[in-house]
Amino acid sequence: MSDSKKDFETVQKMFIDFISNLTNIEYEKLLRGEGTIKFFEKEISPSRKSELTGLLNNLLGLNAENIQAHIKSNPELKTKAQLMEFCDLFNIDVKSKDKSDSIIYKIIDFIESNRDSLQNTLNKRNDIDSLIESVAIELEKIMDMNIARELILSSAFSSNKTNLLKLARRLDVHLDKDVSLDNAKELIVDSVVGSKIRSLSIRKKI
């Protein structure tokens, strides 16, 4: 079966499942033109991003022939959808009509053409991730809101919301993606340090 036929059958199944899950009212409104079907891009989870970044790091240490063999034998890139996901994360130009082998060749070409810059980017990312981890560990020890704020403000990643969101996830603090930079910092401090202070105050009263 060709990739194009498989793609059509996959989309067809998704559409049928979508229609089946509509209520009767939603279905009727859709038929009357009072409802719309919208596409929302699914965000790659942090754990999946970490897996794919680690995979890219491994591929950077291989030559073109070994890159191809490594991709074809890796369960994380077994399907066309997984290959497309990898390309989407690292902005590799591929088309949905591309076959799996074509996508693999594009990945190889991308790595060969950008090896040095990709390695530098990954090294910087690893440095930031290490810094985020160290700040998270310190915040878990601090019992003063002002000291916690100063720790975040003085960190190298404090002006980058993406990295603040990483810090929040590390500390199990839920933040909306559209939260402002200043609010993100304050919510992290309040959730991690403020909650400890309030808990201690309650215990002392008891």
Side-chain angles (χ1 to χ4, degrees):
M1 187 184 295
S2 67
D3 281 350
S4 60
K5 189 170 186 293
K6 286 181 181 178
D7 290 343
F8 175 76
E9 290 179 352
T10 299
V11 173
Q12 184 183 48
K13 183 180 183 304
M14 287 190 289
F15 185 74
I16 292 172
D17 289 343
F18 168 77
I19 295 297
S20 299
N21 288 320
L22 292 177
T23 64
N24 288 336
I25 293 175
E26 289 171 337
Y27 181 72
E28 289 170 4
K29 284 186 175 181
L30 190 62
L31 289 178
R32 292 196 302 266
E34 297 173 5
T36 60
I37 298 174
K38 292 185 178 180
F39 169 81
F40 292 96
E41 187 173 356
K42 185 177 179 181
E43 185 177 352
I44 301 175
S45 69
S47 60
R48 181 59 175 160
K49 284 182 181 179
S50 179
E51 288 176 358
L52 294 178
T53 300
L55 178 56
L56 175 61
N57 193 43
N58 292 337
L59 295 177
L60 285 171
L62 304 173
N63 59 34
E65 183 178 344
N66 289 334
I67 289 175
Q68 182 178 7
H70 190 79
I71 290 175
K72 288 192 171 184
S73 64
N74 195 296
E76 297 299 328
L77 294 176
K78 185 177 181 180
T79 67
K80 179 179 174 180
Q82 290 172 322
L83 290 168
M84 295 287 289
E85 184 181 45
F86 180 89
C87 293
D88 182 59
L89 179 60
F90 298 112
N91 297 315
I92 301 173
D93 185 23
V94 294
K95 303 291 188 296
S96 59
K97 64 182 180 180
D98 290 340
K99 295 185 177 181
S100 294
D101 284 342
S102 176
I103 295 173
I104 291 173
Y105 290 134
K106 288 184 178 182
I107 291 173
I108 294 171
D109 183 62
F110 175 78
I111 291 174
E112 290 294 306
S113 301
N114 302 278
R115 191 180 293 274
D116 290 340
S117 61
L118 286 171
Q119 191 63 67
N120 288 335
T121 299
L122 288 182
N123 289 340
K124 288 179 182 177
R125 186 176 297 180
N126 290 335
D127 290 342
I128 289 293
D129 288 345
S130 297
L131 179 58
I132 289 172
E133 178 64 21
S134 65
V135 170
I137 291 171
E138 287 302 311
L139 283 174
E140 290 172 332
K141 299 175 183 176
I142 293 173
M143 291 294 291
D144 185 300
M145 299 273 283
N146 289 327
I147 294 176
R149 289 189 188 97
E150 183 58 34
L151 174 62
I152 293 178
L153 287 172
S154 62
S155 66
F157 60 83
S158 65
S159 60
N160 185 297
K161 192 166 79 170
T162 298
N163 289 326
L164 280 176
L165 291 173
K166 282 186 180 181
L167 175 64
R169 285 194 295 269
R170 163 61 178 79
L171 293 164
D172 294 324
V173 177
H174 173 72
L175 296 180
D176 293 329
K177 288 193 296 182
D178 58 354
V179 67
S180 70
L181 202 62
D182 290 338
N183 283 343
K185 296 171 187 175
E186 194 59 33
L187 286 169
I188 291 172
V189 170
D190 184 66
S191 297
V192 178
V193 182
S195 62
K196 288 188 294 185
I197 294 173
R198 290 190 291 272
S199 177
L200 179 61
S201 177
I202 292 170
R203 288 202 301 271
K204 284 183 177 180
K205 288 179 181 179
I206 295 174

